[in-house]
Amino acid sequence: MTNIVSILGDESESLLSHNCKGISKDQLQLPGSDFIDRVTAHSDRKAFQRPMAEGVALLNAIQDAYLSQEITVA
């Protein structure tokens, strides 16, 4: 955390203690094991402006990371 504070510099206090009052919790799309299916798969947007096969592979890799038991959120 100390490194983040030094990187943010003079704005660190403001940025790290910010409390958003404009967006309620129920409007957030939080990551989880079904994030790709729930949020991205039903969109007509190209995945990161790559060819379809590359986009699908990338989205699958992201979802696999959420499903992996070896990866945890600190």
Side-chain angles (χ1 to χ4, degrees):
M1 189 67 162
T2 306
N3 192 27
I4 293 171
V5 171
S6 65
I7 291 170
L8 294 175
D10 294 341
E11 295 182 80
S12 64
E13 180 64 31
S14 171
L15 293 170
L16 295 173
S17 64
H18 176 74
N19 187 1
C20 180
K21 296 183 185 354
I23 301 172
S24 63
K25 281 189 207 179
D26 61 320
Q27 292 178 308
L28 297 176
Q29 295 292 335
L30 301 177
S33 62
D34 65 340
F35 180 79
I36 301 302
D37 294 329
R38 185 171 33 90
V39 177
T40 310
H42 302 290
S43 169
D44 62 351
R45 291 185 281 162
K46 293 180 185 176
F48 306 100
Q49 300 299 313
R50 296 284 189 177
M52 180 72 161
E54 287 181 37
V56 169
L58 178 59
L59 294 174
N60 286 337
I62 293 168
Q63 186 162 353
D64 288 345
Y66 283 114
L67 294 172
S68 174
Q69 297 295 320
E70 298 171 3
I71 299 172
T72 60
V73 178

